[in-house]
Amino acid sequence: QVQAVESGGGLVQPGGSLRLSCAPSGSIFSINAANWYRQVPGKERELVAGYISGGKTVYADSVKGRFTISRDNVKSTVFLQMNNLKPEDTATYYCHLNYYSDHGEALSTWGQGTLVTVSS
């Protein structure tokens, strides 16, 4: 079973930047849709940014103008560029992929999460 694998989290000062990456752990045919979520303890997981049908992007109001989702279709990798980070961005960030397997199945998978801590 292919899983999403996130990387790029860490500790950053307020106003700093991080870039998260998400790639499948094995071979797939293509990514159909991709979303980044985040969650803090005691709260529900919330959508941060994502690709929806037609290749359009959506963002949570709290990150508009600061975060950018992008993708490398050749490498089947999705990125989340996070600029001007704020302490309230501190959370575990999860990648969710909808993809087509090499056998043509439409599947989806979550990553294990990567922790982003924004603190001075």
Side-chain angles (χ1 to χ4, degrees):
Q1 177 74 27
V2 171
Q3 291 190 334
V5 180
E6 305 101 336
S7 61
L11 174 64
V12 63
Q13 293 186 343
S17 298
L18 282 175
R19 189 174 82 154
L20 306 182
S21 300
C22 173
S25 60
S27 176
I28 66 170
F29 180 71
S30 67
I31 294 175
N32 183 34
N35 296 290
W36 285 98
Y37 291 80
R38 66 186 180 188
Q39 188 171 25
V40 296
K43 293 190 176 182
E44 293 186 355
R45 192 170 295 187
E46 65 170 350
L47 177 66
V48 175
Y51 281 102
I52 58 175
S53 60
K56 296 181 180 179
T57 56
V58 291
Y59 295 93
D61 288 342
S62 59
V63 306
K64 283 181 180 177
R66 300 188 298 121
F67 290 12
T68 303
I69 188 171
S70 62
R71 60 195 292 177
D72 181 332
N73 290 326
V74 174
K75 297 181 179 179
S76 295
T77 302
V78 181
F79 304 98
L80 184 67
Q81 178 66 44
M82 305 185 295
N83 297 329
N84 190 21
L85 283 160
K86 303 176 181 180
E88 51 264 41
D89 295 318
T90 295
T92 298
Y93 285 71
Y94 297 90
C95 174
H96 181 261
L97 300 177
N98 291 316
Y99 67 96
Y100 289 107
S101 73
D102 289 339
H103 303 291
E105 296 175 286
L107 301 170
S108 65
T109 182
W110 286 94
Q112 295 296 315
T114 186
L115 180 62
V116 172
T117 303
V118 185
S119 176
S120 56

